[in-house]
Amino acid sequence: MSDSLIAITGDDFVLVAADTTHTRSIMVVKESGEDKIMELDSHKLLAASGDNGDRNAFCQYVQKNSALYRLRNGTPLSTRALANWTRRALADALRKHPYSANLLLAGYDASPTEGKPGKVSLYYIDYLASMQQLPFACQGYAGHFLLGLLDNGWRKGMTREEARELLDKCIEQLQTRFVLGAPKFAIKLVDKDGVHVIESADA
Amino acid sequence: MSRYDRAISIFSPDGRIFQVEYAQEAVRKGTTAVGIRGDDCIVLAVEKKSIAKLQEPRTVHKIVAVDDHVFLAFAGLTADGRVLIDRTRVECQSYRLSLEDAPSVEHVARSIAGVQQKYTQSGGMRPFGVSMLVVGYEIDGQPRLFQTDPSGTHVEWKANAIGRNSKTVREFLEEHYEAQRGNAAQLAVASLLEVVESTRSIEIAIVKPNEPIRFSH
């Protein structure tokens, strides 16, 4: 809950931001430097919030199974397929050994026809295994502060600069108004050329 | 003698396990595969079996990736090979999940050999009729080539051949390896040409450190 994740899609990119703190209840284990956005494969990002242990274990599980699929079938899973697989994994675990992890999964899928542009997608998946594809999304308390701002500021077909500007406004709001507004956010972007680290999580 | 070849978990009086030997015979019937550890690359080459006129050629894979940095070719029963390959793929990801590191080529070869050994000792199931050539570059940049066989051993080689006519190919390699190891791809093709009709029946893959594997048909 105290972790903040924000993601914004354009026509051909997804911008994903996550705070970089590691906290346990009232204690700050690490103020910055925690990378919560995992690169699942060359063209997918999985940002996760929640308990550090569950977050890491679950994200690594998704990442390794994504790789296994790719090696078995010679081609990676589409973002939609992987999102559904991830949701199913959370749902199956929910009434047995639940993972307390909230996720934002973003990916670029090349077009099956050569020469045509691919498409990007963003999926919101929460710890109760509900899932929704969205143009922009938040996890954690951040949503309380930012969804209004994003509703107003997001347009279809935003450029990367516009999206970054909107994201910066969001982060500024968190840092002003949210008692747990972290000083440092990591920012990554995924597009047809793969995953790009815009702001590293490293302190 | 025939009394001792029924069950896998029985030795013959002269200390042999017939089912393992019969499995090795099955390997000798399979299409030839060659592996060469060259100076600047590792090469896997396989004989392409001639296929029926109506069969789609692209559905037979004899050289496969089991992880991003480990590849293998096999000789013997194709279905057995498929099962072993899938188990190995799962093992590689399982290793990465537990240890957050890529498995070494040696670990992969040892794990395949371990599975093959299990089936020589228990369960009343027959062994896998497959030998494998497992290749890749280790983290420290060392190229490795391992062979596994139905008895469950894994042995490292500089160059080797498995499957039918492998003896001829291996003798060719013994003669030419030292001189030709700088040109491993040529050597692989030349060695296979000793036992196959023409280059049209050869599929070759080249592994270089930190590069994706390259196939040529």
Side-chain angles (χ1 to χ4, degrees):
Chain A
M1 258 315 194
S2 53
D3 299 335
S4 301
L5 304 179
I6 315 164
I8 300 173
T9 64
D11 277 347
D12 59 353
F13 69 90
V14 187
L15 199 56
V16 182
D19 75 293
T20 56
T21 60
H22 178 188
T23 49
R24 269 238 102 113
S25 124
I26 54 171
M27 236 184 2
V28 177
V29 177
K30 197 154 80 152
E31 200 191 18
S32 65
E34 181 79 2
D35 189 355
K36 298 177 190 171
I37 311 176
M38 177 172 277
E39 292 158 38
L40 290 183
D41 67 25
S42 60
H43 289 75
K44 291 186 193 58
L45 290 173
L46 181 62
S49 72
D51 293 336
N52 181 279
D54 279 356
R55 179 164 48 77
N56 276 325
F58 187 70
C59 286
Q60 286 170 16
Y61 179 68
V62 176
Q63 188 190 54
K64 270 46 181 182
N65 274 281
S66 172
L68 184 59
Y69 181 95
R70 177 172 47 81
L71 284 158
R72 274 178 167 152
N73 298 285
T75 183
L77 273 166
S78 66
T79 309
R80 177 167 165 260
L82 185 58
N84 277 281
W85 187 92
T86 305
R87 193 211 80 79
R88 170 61 52 189
L90 276 175
D92 286 344
L94 187 60
R95 288 183 169 84
K96 295 180 185 143
H97 50 87
Y99 292 98
S100 72
N102 297 297
L103 315 168
L104 293 178
L105 196 154
Y108 170 87
D109 298 301
S111 163
T113 344
E114 245 199 86
K116 293 196 80 185
K119 57 179 185 55
V120 293
S121 45
L122 169 67
Y123 290 85
Y124 163 105
I125 307 171
D126 76 9
Y127 76 109
L128 294 172
S130 29
M131 182 172 83
Q132 186 64 47
Q133 187 186 355
L134 293 168
F136 56 84
C138 299
Q139 289 283 10
Y141 285 117
H144 291 66
F145 297 89
L146 302 178
L147 285 172
L149 202 65
L150 287 165
D151 275 339
N152 262 340
W154 187 86
R155 276 179 316 96
K156 182 149 169 39
M158 293 178 86
T159 66
R160 286 145 214 260
E161 292 72 30
E162 288 167 339
R164 178 63 198 270
E165 235 186 274
L166 182 56
L167 181 64
D168 282 344
K169 262 197 228 164
C170 290
I171 294 174
E172 198 199 328
Q173 272 310 299
L174 285 181
Q175 287 166 344
T176 315
R177 283 298 182 188
F178 183 26
V179 70
L180 301 173
K184 184 151 180 28
F185 275 73
I187 305 177
K188 296 189 186 179
L189 182 139
V190 61
D191 65 11
K192 68 171 174 28
D193 299 320
V195 163
H196 312 272
V197 177
I198 312 284
E199 286 281 342
S200 162
D202 294 330
Chain B
M1 269 304 157
S2 60
R3 268 174 293 163
Y4 301 100
D5 61 13
R6 294 279 147 71
I8 177 62
S9 46
I10 295 187
F11 279 107
S12 72
D14 58 342
R16 298 149 74 182
I17 306 175
F18 279 117
Q19 281 301 305
V20 172
E21 292 186 17
Y22 296 163
Q24 286 163 336
E25 211 27 63
V27 173
R28 266 175 239 122
K29 294 204 162 24
T31 52
T32 323
V34 170
I36 300 180
R37 203 177 74 197
D39 282 338
D40 62 347
C41 66
I42 312 174
V43 177
L44 282 174
V46 297
E47 173 192 356
K48 280 205 293 208
K49 207 162 80 162
S50 52
I51 53 172
K53 279 201 189 134
L54 292 174
Q55 186 181 343
E56 288 279 9
R58 47 189 173 77
T59 51
V60 183
H61 303 292
K62 298 283 306 270
I63 304 177
V64 299
V66 289
D67 199 343
D68 291 325
H69 64 305
V70 184
F71 310 89
L72 61 83
F74 67 95
L77 301 172
T78 309
D80 283 11
R82 216 175 49 218
V83 168
L84 260 184
I85 285 167
D86 194 68
R87 275 208 222 176
T88 311
R89 284 174 171 155
V90 175
E91 166 62 25
C92 286
Q93 293 309 310
S94 176
Y95 185 100
R96 284 174 178 266
L97 188 57
S98 310
L99 291 107
E100 197 59 22
D101 258 347
S104 65
V105 183
E106 201 263 332
H107 175 93
V108 177
R110 197 163 9 107
S111 122
I112 297 174
V115 173
Q116 292 196 272
Q117 193 280 340
K118 254 200 268 260
Y119 285 74
T120 70
Q121 208 175 14
S122 63
M125 301 223 274
R126 65 166 176 80
F128 289 91
V130 173
S131 275
M132 302 211 156
L133 293 174
V134 185
V135 303
Y137 280 88
E138 303 289 24
I139 280 258
D140 62 3
Q142 287 304 314
R144 311 297 287 272
L145 162 64
F146 289 91
Q147 181 206 354
T148 74
D149 88 329
S151 68
T153 59
H154 71 294
V155 179
E156 188 164 11
W157 290 77
K158 295 177 184 146
N160 198 8
I162 52 178
R164 60 182 177 218
N165 302 314
S166 57
K167 189 156 174 297
T168 312
V169 180
R170 194 166 30 249
E171 280 166 2
F172 182 91
L173 289 172
E174 277 171 15
E175 225 189 290
H176 294 98
Y177 176 74
E178 274 314 315
Q180 300 271 16
R181 50 188 291 177
N183 211 342
Q186 295 271 47
L187 178 58
V189 174
S191 67
L192 263 185
L193 280 175
E194 295 282 298
V195 299
V196 310
E197 264 176 39
S198 75
T199 51
R200 269 176 311 131
S201 327
I202 298 179
E203 180 173 339
I204 183 172
I206 301 179
V207 180
K208 290 197 170 175
N210 303 316
E211 273 180 41
I213 185 172
R214 273 173 30 233
F215 286 92
S216 318
H217 310 278

